[in-house]
């Protein structure tokens, strides 16, 4: 049976650009007819003339809005009582607004601007359900036809009293037909059974037929049959039956009792092959799972991007405000400029990664072929990353396993990006030990100047759990949900690096890893050495290391106020400490929640400033522990999340107040002054 005809989809939007956007996305789905409506009234008029599989309905429309239109569809059109309605809107994402949509009859919500692939996936799910429903109806009709045929056969047998005629008719049915005694021993089967199973009559009669029923399904089969015997009624069950080649295929088994004077004398049954339907259902379930997974990945990515972007932006705004203070010294101003520049580059890097992964996925990435000094690039990369490794106390080494060409031709921008990403990843996940980079060159047999680099990056960091290895090179994914909170990052680095490396004729691979012991990645890049280039056997580097510290000045606003700042970000500690120090406060720091709890209980502080997003023990848990231990001083939550739900959650765990990043000097000082004077 085929159900692959054209399926109608109704799209309703009072704006032409909205309809065009939906058509652009949904027109890529095969075998669909998109029917337009510019209003709820027009949509209702179209319902009797079509059999819509899915309705995509805009919410904000004149005369009849989306909610009113959906209610009318559900209550006044019986044929569309269960038709999936997806609201497409851009006006409100509030939970109460969404619940209102579900009360009106929606099965899903899509917010503009929507992700085309996700919208198509959701619509495809409902199209598949629609088609499968139609198929089930057709199969039910076919089964009813078969049952009518069986009754005709029975009448023919009684009228003609001819077993031969009965068997001929049964053999003509394109299904397995069988007849058993009341106790379940088989006494007749048509050619459909022998052709399918390859069993002879002697092998099948009695209980021999059971050998071809899957062991996991046989008990359910027999249980349904026994219950039907007890209630003198037909039964049906799904079971896997082995064919002549040994493969198992799903069948729908339907049996009816033959009665005489109210007593069952025998059973007549059919077996209909439904394997394709079962496989389609499994594929549909997998598609739904993938759609949910994709939607969850998008949600996690957006939440992570919010934090990753707001954090450097907070430092930029805060240190900009510091520079506006006349009291800043030249040294402090230089440090502020350096901090702004560093966080600006971090923000730009995040944006570049998002744009690059988008270019890769759309096939718009442009690769250049440029001659450049590879040794100089390696030296610059080490100089750029050396500060990070020295700040963490890591040993950072570069070495050669073979001679390498000094001047090469490939895309220097993308090559630098790949190496920086992979080494930067190693630094991020290594708290102590070594980051070792080894480089070797392999020349082509046919052309000595054409070859490829192997650049191996080995760290002694946290390693990777084997369960999470498959997620490494997927966009927006990290080892697990705690990785982002503990180490930061967009989750794009390795995925982007692999795609860029492939564009340069190579790859990025995980060579080995061990949880708690470290990881080794290998970058392979194809390049061409210049004909007269120098070949280098050893690497030599020079670097300049300057460490600066920021001082604070006294003011009188928060004089004699002792503040404990709990924050894992050094820039935030510097910024907030400087703000409060200028106002006269005495500020001490804790680098994580556990240390914050210990210092707060042991010290004499007027107020605790508690960052919410920290690794290991976050601000929620730290506040909960303090309140449980009887700590009664004010605790102010610091968070980059500005939603009301976030504030409510902070207050619920015991925070006195809630302060949203980026940090504003005057508001922060005012809040600290207010809570320490008991005015909150």
């Amino acid at each position: 049976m085929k159900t692959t005809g054209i399926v109608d989809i109704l799209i309703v939007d009072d704006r032409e650009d909205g309809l065009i956007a939906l058509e652009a996305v949904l027109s890529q789905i095969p075998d669909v007819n998109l029917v337009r409506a510019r209003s709820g009234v027009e949509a209702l008029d179209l319902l009797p003339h079509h059999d819509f599989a899915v309705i995509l309905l805009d919410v904000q429309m004149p005369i009849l809005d989306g909610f009113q239109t959906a209610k009318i569809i559900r209550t006044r059109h019986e044929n569309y009582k269960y038709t999936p309605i997806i609201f497409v809107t851009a006006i409100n994402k509030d939970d109460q607004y969404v619940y209102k949509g579900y009360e009106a009859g929606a099965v899903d919500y899509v917010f503009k601007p929507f992700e085309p692939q996700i919208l198509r996936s959701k619509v495809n799910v409902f199209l598949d359900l629609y088609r499968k429903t139609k198929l089930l109806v057709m199969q039910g009709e076919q089964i009813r036809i078969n049952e009518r045929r069986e009754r005709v056969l029975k009448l023919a047998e009684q009228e003609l009293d001819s077993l031969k005629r009965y068997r001929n008719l049964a053999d003509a049915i394109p299904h397995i037909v069988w007849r058993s005694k009341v106790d379940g021993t088989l006494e007749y089967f048509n050619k459909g059974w022998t052709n399918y199973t390859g069993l002879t009559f002697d092998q099948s009669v009695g209980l021999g037929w059971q050998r071809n029923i899957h062991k996991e399904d046989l008990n359910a089969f027999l249980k349904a049959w026994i219950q039907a015997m007890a209630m003198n009624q037909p039964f049906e069950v799904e079971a896997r039956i082995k064919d002549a080649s040994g493969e198992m295929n799903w069948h729908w088994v339907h049996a009816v009792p033959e009665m005489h004077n109210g007593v069952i004398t025998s059973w007549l049954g059919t077996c209909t092959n439904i394997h394709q339907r079962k496989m389609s259902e499994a594929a549909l379930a997998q598609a739904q799972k993938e759609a949910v997974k994709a939607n969850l990945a998008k949600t996690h990515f957006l939440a992570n991007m919010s934090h990753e972007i707001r954090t450097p932006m907070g430092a930029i705004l805060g240190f900009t405000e510091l520079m506006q203070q006349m009291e800043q010294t030249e040294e402090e101003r230089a440090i502020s400029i350096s901090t702004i520049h560093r966080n600006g580059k971090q923000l730009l890097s995040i944006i570049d990664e998002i744009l690059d992964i988008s270019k890769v996925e759309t096939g718009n990435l442009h690769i250049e072929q440029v001659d450049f000094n590879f040794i100089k690039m390696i030296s610059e990369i080490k100089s750029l990353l050396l500060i990070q490794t020295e700040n963490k106390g890591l040993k950072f080494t570069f070495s050669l396993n073979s001679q390498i060409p000094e001047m090469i031709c490939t895309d220097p921008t993308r090559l630098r990006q790949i190496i920086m990403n992979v080494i930067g990843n190693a630094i991020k996940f290594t708290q102590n030990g070594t980051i070792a980079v080894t480089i070797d060159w392999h020349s082509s047999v046919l052309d000595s100047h054409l070859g490829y680099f192997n650049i191996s990056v080995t760290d002694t960091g946290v390693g990777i759990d084997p369960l999470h290895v498959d997620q490494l090179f997927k966009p927006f994914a990290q080892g697990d949900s705690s990785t982002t909170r503990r180490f930061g990052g967009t989750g794009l680095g390795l995925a982007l690096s692999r795609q860029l490396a492939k564009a340069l004729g190579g790859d990025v691979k995980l060579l080995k890893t061990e949880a708690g012991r470290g990881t080794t990645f290998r970058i392979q890049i194809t390049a061409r050495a210049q004909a007269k280039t120098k070949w280098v056997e050893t690497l030599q580097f020079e670097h300049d290391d300057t460490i600066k510290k920021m001082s604070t000045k006294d003011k009188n606003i928060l004089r004699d106020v002792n503040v404990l700042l709990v924050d894992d970000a050094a820039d935030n500690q510097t910024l907030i400490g400087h703000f409060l120090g200028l106002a006269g406060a005495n500020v001490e720091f804790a680098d994580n929640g556990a240390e914050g709890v210990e210092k707060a209980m042991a010290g004499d502080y007027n107020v605790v400033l508690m960052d919410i997003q920290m690794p290991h023990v976050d601000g929620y848990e730290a506040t909960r522990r303090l309140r449980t231990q009887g700590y009664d001083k004010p605790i102010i939550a610091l968070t980059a999340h500005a939603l009301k739900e976030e504030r409510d959650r902070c207050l619920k765990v015991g925070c006195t107040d809630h302060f949203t990043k980026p940090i504003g000097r005057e508001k922060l000082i005012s809040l600290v002054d207010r809570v320490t004077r008991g005015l909150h």
Side-chain angles (χ1 to χ4, degrees):
M1 303 176 188
K2 296 184 178 180
T3 60
T4 56
I6 302 299
V7 178
D8 290 343
I9 297 177
L10 178 60
I11 54 176
V12 187
D13 198 320
D14 64 315
R15 292 174 59 90
E16 180 66 19
D17 57 346
L19 292 172
I20 291 173
L22 289 172
E23 287 177 334
V25 173
L26 300 180
S27 62
Q28 298 183 31
I29 302 175
D31 298 327
V32 297
N33 176 39
L34 302 177
V35 181
R36 288 166 150 243
R38 293 294 299 269
S39 67
V41 174
E42 183 180 346
L44 295 174
D45 290 339
L46 290 170
L47 295 181
H49 307 291
H50 296 270
D51 181 17
F52 293 115
V54 184
I55 299 174
L56 284 83
L57 187 59
D58 186 36
V59 172
Q60 195 173 34
M61 296 185 296
I63 305 177
L64 285 178
D65 64 19
F67 298 142
Q68 294 169 327
T69 304
K71 287 182 178 179
I72 293 174
I73 291 174
R74 291 290 191 234
T75 57
R76 300 184 187 178
H77 294 268
E78 186 66 25
N79 291 343
Y80 292 93
K81 188 174 182 180
Y82 301 106
T83 300
I85 298 175
I86 301 175
F87 279 134
V88 182
T89 182
I91 60 173
N92 201 323
K93 296 184 180 181
D94 186 75
D95 285 346
Q96 294 181 353
Y97 188 83
V98 173
Y99 295 152
K100 182 178 179 182
Y102 289 135
E103 290 175 355
V107 298
D108 206 344
Y109 243 95
V110 176
F111 294 100
K112 302 176 182 177
F114 46 76
E115 177 65 34
Q117 184 176 353
I118 293 177
L119 178 59
R120 281 195 298 271
S121 296
K122 291 184 176 184
V123 172
N124 268 321
V125 167
F126 293 115
L127 290 179
D128 285 343
L129 287 174
Y130 174 84
R131 290 188 171 105
K132 299 306 179 296
T133 301
K134 292 294 185 182
L135 179 60
L136 288 174
V137 171
M138 294 174 65
Q139 288 180 331
E141 181 61 28
Q142 183 64 44
I143 291 168
R144 287 191 289 274
I145 292 173
N146 293 339
E147 292 175 349
R148 289 196 293 270
R149 289 179 179 176
E150 292 175 21
R151 288 195 292 271
V152 170
L153 288 174
K154 184 62 178 177
L155 291 174
E157 181 189 36
Q158 293 174 350
E159 291 174 358
L160 301 175
D161 194 23
S162 169
L163 180 59
K164 181 179 179 180
R165 174 65 63 85
Y166 176 85
R167 289 179 175 176
N168 288 340
L169 289 172
D171 288 340
I173 297 175
H175 298 274
I176 296 172
V177 179
W178 51 270
R179 185 175 186 271
S180 79
K181 297 178 181 179
V182 67
D183 61 0
T185 56
L186 191 68
E187 61 179 7
Y188 167 78
F189 52 87
N190 70 343
K191 288 184 178 180
W193 172 265
T194 57
N195 292 339
Y196 176 78
T197 63
L199 298 178
T200 65
F201 176 84
D202 292 336
Q203 291 172 324
S204 302
V205 293
L207 299 178
W209 59 272
Q210 295 185 8
R211 74 182 70 181
N212 275 47
I213 308 297
H214 197 287
K215 293 181 180 180
E216 295 178 2
D217 304 330
L218 183 58
N219 288 338
F221 187 112
L222 297 176
K223 182 179 179 181
W225 200 344
I226 292 171
Q227 291 175 344
M229 289 179 183
M231 302 179 66
N232 289 352
Q233 64 181 21
F235 77 92
E236 56 186 44
V237 68
E238 293 181 355
R240 285 163 286 183
I241 303 176
K242 183 168 60 177
D243 65 14
S245 67
E247 293 188 4
M248 290 286 183
N249 287 278
W250 282 99
H251 283 72
W252 181 64
V253 182
H254 180 74
V256 295
E258 290 187 304
M259 310 287 292
H260 182 69
N261 295 330
V263 178
I264 298 177
T265 58
S266 61
W267 289 87
L268 288 175
T270 60
C271 301
T272 303
N273 193 319
I274 59 169
H275 191 74
Q276 189 60 44
R277 191 202 80 190
K278 295 288 287 187
M279 295 302 98
S280 297
E281 290 175 351
L284 175 61
Q286 181 63 27
Q288 290 175 315
K289 182 178 179 181
E290 291 297 326
V292 171
K293 186 177 180 181
N295 195 41
L296 184 61
K298 179 202 70 173
T299 301
H300 286 168
F301 170 68
L302 292 176
N304 191 33
M305 283 301 97
S306 173
H307 179 264
E308 289 299 315
I309 292 174
R310 291 175 72 95
T311 297
M313 183 58 72
I316 291 171
L317 295 178
F319 277 92
T320 302
E321 188 174 350
L322 269 180
M323 292 181 64
Q324 295 174 348
Q325 303 301 314
M326 298 298 295
E327 299 87 349
Q328 269 208 326
T329 65
E330 288 300 319
E331 181 183 11
E332 291 172 339
R333 188 175 296 275
I335 293 174
S336 295
I337 293 173
S338 176
T339 303
I340 292 170
H341 183 258
R342 182 173 65 253
N343 282 276
K345 290 181 67 177
Q346 180 183 346
L347 188 59
L348 182 61
S349 176
I350 293 170
I351 295 171
D352 285 343
E353 282 189 345
I354 297 172
L355 293 176
D356 282 343
I357 201 71
S358 175
K359 290 178 182 177
V360 169
E361 292 184 344
T362 58
N364 293 325
L365 183 69
H366 178 64
I367 298 298
E368 296 181 320
Q369 294 295 323
V370 179
D371 291 332
F372 65 95
N373 190 318
F374 178 68
I375 303 301
K376 183 178 180 181
M377 171 187 284
I378 293 297
S379 178
E380 291 173 350
I381 289 174
K382 182 172 184 182
S383 296
L384 287 171
L385 297 176
L386 191 61
I387 296 176
Q388 296 182 37
T389 57
E390 290 186 347
N391 286 341
K392 299 182 74 171
L394 302 176
K395 184 179 180 181
F396 190 26
T397 66
F398 279 74
S399 61
L400 301 182
N401 286 340
S402 70
Q403 287 186 338
I404 65 172
E406 182 179 46
M407 299 298 296
I408 64 172
C409 181
T410 184
D411 190 322
T413 301
R414 298 308 180 186
L415 179 56
R416 178 193 295 268
Q417 190 174 358
I418 296 167
I419 299 173
M420 290 283 288
N421 271 346
V422 176
I423 299 178
N425 212 52
I427 295 172
K428 179 170 64 175
F429 291 100
T430 303
Q431 301 307 311
N432 53 71
T434 302
I435 307 295
V437 182
T438 59
I439 308 172
D440 56 68
W441 168 267
H442 299 264
S443 296
S444 169
V445 176
L446 300 178
D447 185 347
S448 61
H449 289 90
L450 181 64
Y452 63 89
F453 284 106
N454 278 335
I455 305 172
S456 297
V457 180
T458 301
D459 64 64
T460 57
V462 297
I464 302 168
D465 191 315
L467 296 176
H468 302 140
V469 169
D470 292 341
Q471 301 294 319
L472 280 179
F473 295 102
K474 294 181 179 180
F476 319 128
Q478 290 182 320
D480 54 51
S481 59
S482 65
T483 302
T484 297
R485 294 179 56 193
R486 183 178 178 188
F487 296 101
T490 63
L492 296 176
L494 287 176
L496 178 58
S497 295
R498 166 170 277 185
Q499 295 297 329
L500 293 177
K502 287 183 176 180
L504 297 182
D507 201 353
V508 176
K509 294 182 178 180
L510 173 66
L511 292 187
K512 63 178 181 179
T513 184
E514 184 177 352
R517 300 292 296 274
T519 302
T520 297
F521 284 92
R522 184 180 66 194
I523 305 167
Q524 189 175 93
I525 298 297
T526 300
R528 175 175 289 278
Q530 286 188 0
K532 297 181 180 180
T533 186
K534 175 183 176 183
W535 290 80
V536 178
E537 295 183 353
T538 59
L539 296 173
Q540 296 180 348
F541 302 103
E542 296 180 359
H543 71 276
D544 178 38
D545 182 22
T546 304
I547 300 176
K548 300 178 180 180
K549 296 184 179 180
M550 178 176 286
S551 62
T552 60
K553 294 183 177 182
D554 291 332
K555 291 282 185 177
N556 295 323
I557 301 175
L558 298 178
R559 186 176 56 187
D560 298 326
V561 174
N562 297 320
V563 180
L564 174 62
L565 172 60
V566 185
D567 198 314
D568 63 320
D571 284 341
N572 285 341
Q573 288 186 1
T574 301
L575 178 64
I576 297 173
H578 196 79
F579 280 165
L580 298 179
L582 287 174
N586 302 312
V587 184
E588 293 188 17
F589 304 99
D591 295 328
N592 55 66
E595 182 183 352
V597 172
E598 182 179 351
K599 283 191 173 183
M601 295 303 298
D604 182 19
Y605 303 100
N606 301 102
V607 63
V608 175
L609 302 183
M610 183 71 71
D611 184 43
I612 293 301
Q613 192 170 38
M614 295 183 291
H616 304 303
V617 178
D618 61 18
Y620 299 119
E621 180 60 24
T623 302
R624 190 180 294 110
R625 291 183 186 181
L626 284 172
R627 295 310 189 199
T628 301
Q629 297 178 40
Y631 191 80
D632 60 355
K633 298 294 181 64
I635 301 176
I636 299 175
L638 302 178
T639 175
H641 299 290
L643 297 177
K644 178 181 181 297
E645 291 79 4
E646 184 73 15
R647 174 182 174 83
D648 293 341
R649 184 179 177 188
C650 292
L651 297 180
K652 186 176 181 180
V653 298
C655 292
T656 309
D657 212 323
H658 170 274
F659 193 87
T660 303
K661 300 176 183 177
I663 302 298
R665 182 181 63 85
E666 293 183 0
K667 289 184 178 179
L668 177 64
I669 293 173
S670 176
L671 178 58
V672 171
D673 180 52
R674 189 170 72 249
V675 299
T676 54
R677 289 191 293 117
L679 300 179
H680 62 280

